Amino acid sequence: MDTTANKDEAVEPPAKAKSVAATILGEFFDVLEKEEGFAEVAPRLRKVVLDDGVFAEPAIRAALFPDAS
């Protein structure tokens, strides 16, 4: 049994594909960032939702209103 082909395929990990939701949310944050008054908020929301993966109200509220705490 020749296993060299299997070893070659296993060397390179598969590319990580973005989920449909992450793509749509990313586009939403891009548009939001261009809207007046949201240029500072959008990157914070993007970090909380896409990078950290947090959808809890306290984290989102803190991203929207950082001075309120």
Side-chain angles (χ1 to χ4, degrees):
M1 173 189 258
D2 185 16
T3 59
T4 56
N6 290 341
K7 288 180 182 177
D8 290 340
E9 291 174 10
V11 170
E12 189 173 323
K16 184 177 179 183
K18 289 172 79 173
S19 70
V20 173
T23 301
I24 292 170
L25 284 169
E27 290 177 16
F28 169 74
F29 291 128
D30 290 342
V31 171
L32 185 65
E33 192 168 3
K34 295 174 186 170
E35 291 293 317
E36 185 177 340
F38 290 100
E40 294 180 12
V41 173
R44 291 193 304 257
L45 280 174
R46 178 189 303 271
K47 181 188 178 309
V48 169
V49 173
L50 293 180
D51 297 342
D52 300 342
V54 178
F55 290 93
E57 180 185 351
I60 292 173
R61 186 179 298 270
L64 289 171
F65 311 107
D67 299 331
S69 53

